[in-house]
Coordinates of all heavy atoms in Angstrom, one line a residue:
H6 N 0.3 3.7 -16.4 CA -0.4 2.7 -15.7 C -1.6 2.3 -16.4 O -2.4 3.1 -16.8 CB -0.6 3.2 -14.3 CG 0.6 3.5 -13.5 ND1 1.4 2.5 -13.0 CD2 1.2 4.6 -13.2 CE1 2.4 3.0 -12.3 NE2 2.3 4.3 -12.4
K7 N -1.8 1.0 -16.5 CA -3.0 0.5 -17.1 C -3.8 -0.5 -16.2 O -5.0 -0.6 -16.4 CB -2.7 -0.3 -18.4 CG -2.1 0.7 -19.4 CD -1.8 -0.1 -20.7 CE -1.2 1.0 -21.7 NZ -0.8 0.4 -23.0
E8 N -3.2 -1.1 -15.3 CA -3.8 -2.0 -14.3 C -3.8 -1.3 -13.0 O -2.9 -1.3 -12.2 CB -3.1 -3.3 -14.2 CG -3.2 -4.2 -15.4 CD -4.6 -4.7 -15.6 OE1 -5.2 -5.1 -14.6 OE2 -5.1 -4.7 -16.8
I9 N -4.9 -0.5 -12.7 CA -5.0 0.3 -11.5 C -6.0 -0.2 -10.5 O -7.2 -0.3 -10.8 CB -5.3 1.8 -11.9 CG1 -4.3 2.3 -12.9 CG2 -5.4 2.7 -10.7 CD1 -4.7 3.6 -13.6
A10 N -5.5 -0.6 -9.4 CA -6.4 -1.1 -8.3 C -7.1 0.0 -7.6 O -6.6 1.1 -7.6 CB -5.5 -1.9 -7.3
Y11 N -8.2 -0.3 -7.0 CA -9.0 0.7 -6.3 C -9.3 0.1 -4.9 O -9.9 -1.0 -4.8 CB -10.3 1.0 -7.0 CG -11.1 2.0 -6.3 CD1 -10.8 3.4 -6.4 CD2 -12.1 1.7 -5.5 CE1 -11.6 4.3 -5.7 CE2 -12.9 2.6 -4.8 CZ -12.6 3.9 -4.9 OH -13.4 4.9 -4.3
V12 N -9.0 0.8 -3.8 CA -9.3 0.3 -2.5 C -10.1 1.4 -1.9 O -9.7 2.6 -1.6 CB -8.0 0.1 -1.6 CG1 -8.4 -0.3 -0.2 CG2 -7.1 -0.9 -2.3
G13 N -11.4 1.1 -1.7 CA -12.4 2.1 -1.2 C -13.2 1.7 0.0 O -13.1 0.5 0.4
G14 N -14.0 2.6 0.4 CA -14.9 2.3 1.6 C -16.1 1.5 1.2 O -16.2 1.0 0.1
P15 N -17.0 1.4 2.2 CA -18.2 0.6 2.0 C -19.1 1.1 0.8 O -19.2 2.3 0.6 CB -19.0 0.8 3.3 CG -18.0 1.4 4.3 CD -17.0 2.1 3.5
E16 N -19.6 0.2 0.1 CA -20.4 0.5 -1.1 C -21.7 1.2 -0.7 O -22.3 2.0 -1.5 CB -20.8 -0.8 -1.8 CG -19.7 -1.4 -2.5 CD -20.1 -2.6 -3.3 OE1 -20.4 -2.5 -4.5 OE2 -20.0 -3.7 -2.7
N17 N -22.2 1.1 0.5 CA -23.4 1.8 0.9 C -23.2 3.2 1.5 O -24.1 3.9 1.8 CB -24.2 0.9 2.0 CG -23.4 0.7 3.2 OD1 -22.2 1.0 3.3 ND2 -24.1 0.2 4.3
D18 N -21.9 3.6 1.5 CA -21.6 5.0 1.9 C -21.7 5.9 0.7 O -21.0 5.7 -0.3 CB -20.2 5.0 2.5 CG -19.8 6.4 3.0 OD1 -20.3 6.8 4.1 OD2 -19.0 7.0 2.3
K19 N -22.4 7.0 0.8 CA -22.6 8.0 -0.3 C -21.3 8.5 -0.8 O -21.1 8.6 -2.0 CB -23.6 9.1 0.2 CG -23.9 10.1 -0.9 CD -24.8 11.2 -0.5 CE -25.2 12.0 -1.7 NZ -24.7 13.3 -1.7
I20 N -20.5 9.0 0.1 CA -19.2 9.6 -0.3 C -18.3 8.6 -1.0 O -17.7 8.8 -2.0 CB -18.4 10.3 0.9 CG1 -19.3 11.4 1.5 CG2 -17.1 10.8 0.4 CD1 -19.6 12.5 0.6
S21 N -18.3 7.4 -0.5 CA -17.5 6.3 -1.0 C -18.0 6.0 -2.5 O -17.2 5.8 -3.4 CB -17.6 5.0 -0.2 OG -16.9 4.0 -0.7
R22 N -19.3 5.9 -2.7 CA -19.9 5.7 -4.0 C -19.4 6.8 -5.0 O -19.1 6.5 -6.1 CB -21.4 5.6 -3.9 CG -21.9 4.2 -3.7 CD -23.4 4.1 -4.0 NE -24.2 5.3 -3.6 CZ -24.8 5.5 -2.4 NH1 -24.7 4.6 -1.5 NH2 -25.5 6.6 -2.2
E23 N -19.5 8.0 -4.5 CA -19.1 9.1 -5.4 C -17.6 9.0 -5.8 O -17.2 9.2 -7.0 CB -19.3 10.4 -4.7 CG -20.8 10.8 -4.6 CD -21.1 12.1 -3.8 OE1 -20.1 12.8 -3.5 OE2 -22.2 12.3 -3.5
K24 N -16.7 8.6 -4.9 CA -15.3 8.5 -5.2 C -15.1 7.3 -6.1 O -14.3 7.4 -7.1 CB -14.5 8.3 -3.9 CG -14.5 9.6 -3.1 CD -13.7 9.4 -1.8 CE -13.6 10.6 -1.0 NZ -12.8 10.5 0.2
Y25 N -15.8 6.2 -5.9 CA -15.7 5.0 -6.8 C -16.2 5.4 -8.2 O -15.5 5.0 -9.2 CB -16.5 3.9 -6.2 CG -16.5 2.6 -7.0 CD1 -15.4 2.0 -7.4 CD2 -17.7 2.2 -7.5 CE1 -15.4 0.8 -8.2 CE2 -17.8 1.0 -8.3 CZ -16.6 0.4 -8.6 OH -16.6 -0.7 -9.4
N26 N -17.3 6.1 -8.3 CA -17.8 6.5 -9.6 C -16.7 7.4 -10.3 O -16.6 7.3 -11.5 CB -19.1 7.2 -9.5 CG -20.2 6.2 -9.2 OD1 -20.1 5.0 -9.5 ND2 -21.3 6.7 -8.5
G27 N -16.0 8.2 -9.5 CA -15.0 9.0 -10.1 C -13.8 8.2 -10.7 O -13.3 8.5 -11.7
Y28 N -13.5 7.1 -9.9 CA -12.5 6.2 -10.4 C -12.9 5.6 -11.7 O -12.2 5.5 -12.7 CB -12.2 5.1 -9.3 CG -11.5 3.9 -9.8 CD1 -10.1 3.8 -10.0 CD2 -12.3 2.7 -10.1 CE1 -9.5 2.7 -10.4 CE2 -11.6 1.6 -10.6 CZ -10.3 1.6 -10.7 OH -9.6 0.4 -11.2
L29 N -14.2 5.1 -11.8 CA -14.7 4.4 -13.0 C -14.7 5.4 -14.1 O -14.3 5.1 -15.3 CB -16.1 3.9 -12.7 CG -16.2 2.7 -11.7 CD1 -17.7 2.4 -11.5 CD2 -15.4 1.5 -12.2
K30 N -15.1 6.6 -13.9 CA -15.1 7.7 -14.9 C -13.7 8.0 -15.4 O -13.5 8.1 -16.7 CB -15.8 8.9 -14.4 CG -16.0 10.0 -15.4 CD -16.7 11.2 -14.8 CE -16.8 12.3 -15.8 NZ -17.4 13.5 -15.2
A31 N -12.8 8.1 -14.5 CA -11.4 8.3 -14.9 C -10.8 7.2 -15.8 O -10.1 7.4 -16.8 CB -10.5 8.6 -13.7
M32 N -11.1 6.0 -15.4 CA -10.6 4.8 -16.1 C -11.2 4.8 -17.6 O -10.5 4.6 -18.5 CB -11.0 3.5 -15.4 CG -10.3 3.3 -14.1 SD -8.5 2.9 -14.3 CE -8.6 1.2 -14.8
K33 N -12.5 5.1 -17.6 CA -13.2 5.1 -18.9 C -12.6 6.3 -19.8 O -12.3 6.1 -21.0 CB -14.7 5.3 -18.8 CG -15.5 5.3 -20.0 CD -16.9 5.4 -19.8 CE -17.7 5.4 -21.1 NZ -19.1 5.6 -21.0
S34 N -12.4 7.4 -19.2 CA -11.9 8.6 -19.9 C -10.5 8.4 -20.4 O -10.2 8.9 -21.5 CB -11.9 9.8 -18.9 OG -11.4 10.9 -19.6
A35 N -9.7 7.6 -19.7 CA -8.4 7.2 -20.2 C -8.3 6.1 -21.1 O -7.3 5.7 -21.6 CB -7.5 6.9 -18.9
G36 N -9.5 5.5 -21.4 CA -9.6 4.4 -22.3 C -9.1 3.1 -21.7 O -8.7 2.2 -22.4
L37 N -9.1 3.0 -20.4 CA -8.6 1.8 -19.7 C -9.8 0.9 -19.3 O -10.8 1.3 -18.9 CB -7.8 2.2 -18.4 CG -6.6 3.0 -18.7 CD1 -6.0 3.5 -17.4 CD2 -5.6 2.3 -19.5
E38 N -9.5 -0.4 -19.4 CA -10.5 -1.4 -19.0 C -10.5 -1.6 -17.5 O -9.4 -1.7 -16.9 CB -10.2 -2.7 -19.7 CG -11.4 -3.7 -19.8 CD -11.0 -4.8 -20.7 OE1 -10.6 -4.6 -21.8 OE2 -11.2 -6.0 -20.2
V39 N -11.6 -1.7 -16.9 CA -11.7 -1.9 -15.4 C -11.6 -3.4 -15.1 O -12.4 -4.2 -15.7 CB -13.0 -1.3 -14.9 CG1 -13.2 -1.6 -13.4 CG2 -13.1 0.2 -15.1
N40 N -10.6 -3.7 -14.3 CA -10.5 -5.1 -13.9 C -11.1 -5.2 -12.5 O -10.5 -4.7 -11.5 CB -9.0 -5.5 -13.8 CG -8.8 -6.9 -13.4 OD1 -9.7 -7.6 -12.9 ND2 -7.6 -7.4 -13.6
Y41 N -12.3 -5.8 -12.4 CA -13.0 -5.8 -11.1 C -12.3 -6.7 -10.0 O -12.7 -6.6 -8.9 CB -14.5 -6.2 -11.4 CG -15.2 -5.2 -12.1 CD1 -15.3 -5.2 -13.5 CD2 -15.7 -4.1 -11.4 CE1 -16.0 -4.2 -14.2 CE2 -16.4 -3.0 -12.1 CZ -16.5 -3.1 -13.5 OH -17.1 -2.1 -14.2
D42 N -11.3 -7.5 -10.4 CA -10.6 -8.3 -9.4 C -9.6 -7.3 -8.7 O -9.1 -7.7 -7.6 CB -9.7 -9.3 -10.1 CG -10.5 -10.5 -10.7 OD1 -11.7 -10.7 -10.2 OD2 -10.1 -11.1 -11.7
L43 N -9.4 -6.1 -9.1 CA -8.6 -5.2 -8.5 C -9.3 -4.1 -7.7 O -8.8 -3.1 -7.3 CB -7.7 -4.5 -9.5 CG -6.9 -5.3 -10.5 CD1 -6.1 -4.5 -11.4 CD2 -5.9 -6.2 -9.7
I44 N -10.6 -4.4 -7.5 CA -11.4 -3.4 -6.7 C -11.9 -4.0 -5.4 O -12.4 -5.1 -5.3 CB -12.7 -3.0 -7.6 CG1 -12.2 -2.3 -8.9 CG2 -13.6 -2.1 -6.8 CD1 -13.2 -1.9 -9.9
F45 N -11.7 -3.2 -4.4 CA -12.1 -3.6 -3.0 C -13.0 -2.5 -2.4 O -12.6 -1.3 -2.4 CB -10.9 -3.8 -2.1 CG -10.0 -4.9 -2.6 CD1 -9.0 -4.7 -3.6 CD2 -10.2 -6.2 -2.2 CE1 -8.2 -5.7 -4.1 CE2 -9.4 -7.3 -2.6 CZ -8.4 -7.0 -3.6
H46 N -14.1 -2.9 -1.8 CA -14.9 -2.0 -1.0 C -14.9 -2.6 0.4 O -15.4 -3.6 0.7 CB -16.4 -2.0 -1.5 CG -16.5 -1.5 -2.9 ND1 -16.5 -0.1 -3.1 CD2 -16.6 -2.1 -4.1 CE1 -16.6 0.1 -4.4 NE2 -16.6 -1.1 -5.0
L47 N -14.2 -1.8 1.3 CA -14.0 -2.3 2.7 C -14.4 -1.2 3.7 O -14.8 -0.1 3.3 CB -12.5 -2.6 2.8 CG -11.9 -3.6 1.8 CD1 -10.4 -3.5 1.7 CD2 -12.4 -5.0 2.0
N48 N -14.2 -1.5 5.0 CA -14.4 -0.4 5.9 C -13.1 0.5 5.9 O -12.1 0.2 5.4 CB -14.7 -1.0 7.3 CG -13.5 -1.8 7.9 OD1 -12.4 -1.9 7.3 ND2 -13.8 -2.5 9.0
Y49 N -13.3 1.7 6.6 CA -12.2 2.6 6.6 C -11.2 2.3 7.8 O -11.5 2.7 8.9 CB -12.7 4.0 6.8 CG -13.6 4.5 5.6 CD1 -14.9 4.9 5.8 CD2 -13.0 4.7 4.4 CE1 -15.7 5.3 4.8 CE2 -13.8 5.2 3.3 CZ -15.1 5.5 3.5 OH -15.8 5.9 2.5
S50 N -10.2 1.5 7.5 CA -9.2 1.2 8.5 C -7.9 0.8 7.9 O -7.8 0.5 6.7 CB -9.7 0.0 9.4 OG -9.7 -1.2 8.7
L51 N -6.8 0.9 8.7 CA -5.5 0.5 8.3 C -5.5 -1.0 7.9 O -5.0 -1.4 6.9 CB -4.5 0.7 9.4 CG -4.2 2.2 9.8 CD1 -3.3 2.2 11.0 CD2 -3.5 2.9 8.6
Q52 N -6.2 -1.8 8.8 CA -6.3 -3.2 8.6 C -7.0 -3.6 7.2 O -6.6 -4.5 6.6 CB -7.1 -3.9 9.7 CG -6.4 -3.8 11.1 CD -6.6 -2.5 11.8 OE1 -7.4 -1.7 11.3 NE2 -5.9 -2.3 12.9
A53 N -8.0 -2.8 6.9 CA -8.7 -3.1 5.6 C -7.8 -2.8 4.4 O -7.7 -3.6 3.5 CB -10.0 -2.2 5.5
G54 N -7.0 -1.7 4.5 CA -6.0 -1.5 3.4 C -5.0 -2.5 3.3 O -4.6 -3.0 2.2
Y55 N -4.5 -3.0 4.5 CA -3.5 -4.1 4.5 C -4.1 -5.4 3.9 O -3.5 -6.0 3.1 CB -3.1 -4.3 6.0 CG -2.2 -5.5 6.1 CD1 -0.8 -5.4 5.8 CD2 -2.6 -6.7 6.6 CE1 0.0 -6.4 5.9 CE2 -1.8 -7.8 6.8 CZ -0.4 -7.6 6.4 OH 0.4 -8.7 6.6
H56 N -5.4 -5.7 4.3 CA -6.1 -6.9 3.7 C -6.1 -6.8 2.2 O -5.9 -7.8 1.5 CB -7.5 -7.0 4.3 CG -8.3 -8.0 3.7 ND1 -8.2 -9.3 4.0 CD2 -9.4 -7.9 2.8 CE1 -9.1 -10.0 3.3 NE2 -9.8 -9.2 2.6
A57 N -6.5 -5.6 1.7 CA -6.6 -5.5 0.2 C -5.2 -5.7 -0.5 O -5.1 -6.3 -1.5 CB -7.2 -4.1 -0.1
A58 N -4.2 -5.1 0.1 CA -2.9 -5.2 -0.5 C -2.4 -6.6 -0.5 O -1.7 -7.1 -1.4 CB -1.9 -4.3 0.3
R59 N -2.7 -7.4 0.6 CA -2.3 -8.8 0.7 C -3.0 -9.6 -0.4 O -2.4 -10.4 -1.1 CB -2.6 -9.4 2.0 CG -1.6 -8.9 3.1 CD -1.7 -9.8 4.3 NE -1.7 -11.2 4.0 CZ -0.9 -12.1 4.4 NH1 0.1 -11.7 5.2 NH2 -1.0 -13.3 4.1
K60 N -4.3 -9.3 -0.6 CA -5.1 -10.0 -1.7 C -4.4 -9.7 -3.1 O -4.3 -10.5 -3.9 CB -6.5 -9.6 -1.7 CG -7.3 -10.1 -0.5 CD -8.2 -11.2 -1.0 CE -9.0 -11.6 0.2 NZ -9.6 -12.9 0.0
L61 N -4.1 -8.4 -3.3 CA -3.5 -8.0 -4.5 C -2.1 -8.7 -4.8 O -1.8 -9.1 -5.9 CB -3.3 -6.5 -4.6 CG -4.6 -5.7 -4.7 CD1 -4.4 -4.2 -4.5 CD2 -5.3 -5.9 -6.1
A62 N -1.4 -8.8 -3.7 CA -0.1 -9.4 -3.8 C -0.1 -10.9 -4.2 O 0.8 -11.5 -4.7 CB 0.7 -9.3 -2.4
M63 N -1.3 -11.5 -3.9 CA -1.5 -12.9 -4.3 C -1.9 -13.2 -5.7 O -1.9 -14.3 -6.2 CB -2.5 -13.6 -3.3 CG -2.0 -13.7 -1.9 SD -3.2 -14.5 -0.9 CE -3.1 -13.7 0.6
L64 N -2.2 -12.1 -6.4 CA -2.6 -12.2 -7.8 C -1.4 -12.6 -8.7 O -0.3 -12.2 -8.4 CB -3.3 -10.9 -8.3 CG -4.6 -10.5 -7.6 CD1 -5.0 -9.1 -8.1 CD2 -5.7 -11.5 -7.9
P65 N -1.7 -13.4 -9.8 CA -0.6 -13.7 -10.7 C 0.1 -12.5 -11.3 O 1.3 -12.6 -11.6 CB -1.3 -14.6 -11.7 CG -2.7 -14.8 -11.3 CD -3.0 -13.9 -10.2
S66 N -0.7 -11.5 -11.5 CA -0.1 -10.3 -12.1 C -0.5 -9.1 -11.2 O -1.7 -8.8 -11.0 CB -0.7 -10.1 -13.5 OG -0.3 -8.9 -14.1
L67 N 0.5 -8.4 -10.8 CA 0.2 -7.2 -9.9 C -0.3 -6.0 -10.6 O 0.1 -5.8 -11.8 CB 1.5 -6.8 -9.1 CG 2.1 -7.8 -8.1 CD1 3.4 -7.3 -7.6 CD2 1.1 -8.1 -7.0
P68 N -1.1 -5.2 -10.0 CA -1.5 -3.9 -10.6 C -0.2 -3.0 -10.6 O 0.7 -3.2 -9.8 CB -2.6 -3.4 -9.7 CG -2.3 -4.0 -8.4 CD -1.7 -5.4 -8.7
T69 N -0.2 -2.1 -11.5 CA 0.9 -1.1 -11.6 C 0.7 0.1 -10.8 O 1.6 0.9 -10.5 CB 1.1 -0.7 -13.1 OG1 0.0 -0.1 -13.6 CG2 1.5 -1.9 -13.9
A70 N -0.5 0.3 -10.3 CA -0.8 1.5 -9.4 C -2.0 1.1 -8.6 O -2.8 0.2 -8.8 CB -1.1 2.7 -10.3
L71 N -2.2 1.9 -7.5 CA -3.3 1.7 -6.6 C -3.9 3.0 -6.2 O -3.1 3.9 -5.8 CB -2.8 0.9 -5.3 CG -3.8 0.6 -4.3 CD1 -3.5 -0.8 -3.7 CD2 -3.9 1.6 -3.2
V72 N -5.2 3.1 -6.3 CA -5.9 4.3 -5.8 C -6.6 4.0 -4.5 O -7.3 3.0 -4.5 CB -7.0 4.8 -6.9 CG1 -7.8 5.9 -6.3 CG2 -6.3 5.2 -8.1
A73 N -6.3 4.7 -3.5 CA -6.9 4.5 -2.2 C -7.9 5.6 -1.9 O -7.5 6.8 -2.2 CB -5.9 4.3 -1.1
E74 N -9.0 5.3 -1.4 CA -10.1 6.3 -1.2 C -9.7 7.3 0.0 O -10.2 8.4 -0.1 CB -11.4 5.6 -0.8 CG -12.6 6.5 -0.9 CD -13.8 5.7 -0.8 OE1 -14.1 4.9 -1.6 OE2 -14.5 6.0 0.2
N75 N -8.9 6.9 0.9 CA -8.5 7.8 2.0 C -7.2 7.4 2.5 O -6.6 6.4 2.1 CB -9.6 7.9 3.1 CG -9.8 6.6 3.9 OD1 -8.9 5.7 3.8 ND2 -10.9 6.5 4.5
D76 N -6.7 8.3 3.5 CA -5.3 8.0 4.0 C -5.2 6.7 4.8 O -4.2 6.1 4.7 CB -4.9 9.2 4.9 CG -4.7 10.5 4.1 OD1 -4.6 10.4 2.9 OD2 -4.6 11.6 4.8
L77 N -6.2 6.4 5.5 CA -6.2 5.1 6.3 C -6.0 3.9 5.4 O -5.1 3.0 5.6 CB -7.4 4.9 7.2 CG -7.5 5.7 8.4 CD1 -8.9 5.5 9.1 CD2 -6.4 5.3 9.4
L78 N -6.8 3.9 4.3 CA -6.7 2.8 3.4 C -5.3 2.8 2.6 O -4.7 1.8 2.4 CB -7.8 2.8 2.4 CG -9.2 2.5 3.0 CD1 -10.3 2.8 2.0 CD2 -9.3 1.0 3.5
A79 N -4.9 4.0 2.3 CA -3.6 4.1 1.6 C -2.4 3.6 2.5 O -1.6 2.9 2.1 CB -3.3 5.6 1.2
I80 N -2.4 4.1 3.7 CA -1.3 3.7 4.7 C -1.4 2.2 4.9 O -0.3 1.5 4.9 CB -1.4 4.5 5.9 CG1 -1.0 6.0 5.6 CG2 -0.4 4.0 7.0 CD1 -1.4 6.9 6.8
G81 N -2.6 1.7 5.1 CA -2.7 0.2 5.3 C -2.2 -0.6 4.1 O -1.6 -1.6 4.3
S82 N -2.5 0.0 3.0 CA -2.1 -0.7 1.7 C -0.6 -0.7 1.6 O 0.0 -1.6 1.0 CB -2.7 0.0 0.5 OG -4.1 -0.2 0.5
M83 N 0.1 0.3 2.1 CA 1.5 0.4 2.0 C 2.2 -0.7 2.9 O 3.2 -1.2 2.6 CB 2.1 1.8 2.3 CG 1.7 2.8 1.3 SD 2.5 4.4 1.5 CE 1.7 5.0 2.9

């Protein structure tokens, strides 16, 4: 996977920032370029995950993987 989307919580949440920084570090460590069009910072809800997945589905090129910050966002994205 090279185009990896990230669906995370609010940017002002400390834990969310730490998880997002982990995603960025992992992408860099793997030599992958971060596509900021594939990154979402939302509230923690099923609806937010669904909203992110719908936006991703409208892109001309789909990501090959998605990292969700928690179960609610992951289930909503599915």
Side-chain angles (χ1 to χ4, degrees):
H6 296 286
K7 294 182 181 179
E8 290 290 319
I9 304 171
Y11 181 84
V12 180
E16 289 182 90
N17 63 347
D18 180 77
K19 182 181 187 249
I20 300 298
S21 181
R22 270 194 323 269
E23 289 176 8
K24 291 179 180 183
Y25 176 61
N26 287 335
Y28 163 81
L29 294 175
K30 184 178 178 182
M32 293 290 284
K33 182 178 179 180
S34 178
L37 299 175
E38 200 170 307
V39 175
N40 180 346
Y41 292 95
D42 291 335
L43 304 180
I44 295 175
F45 296 87
H46 295 282
L47 308 163
N48 62 8
Y49 295 117
S50 70
L51 293 171
Q52 295 82 7
Y55 176 76
H56 171 75
R59 284 194 47 123
K60 290 251 185 198
L61 290 168
M63 291 184 216
L64 294 174
S66 177
L67 293 175
T69 59
L71 182 142
V72 172
E74 193 173 298
N75 66 18
D76 291 345
L77 282 175
L78 292 170
I80 293 166
S82 295
M83 290 190 290

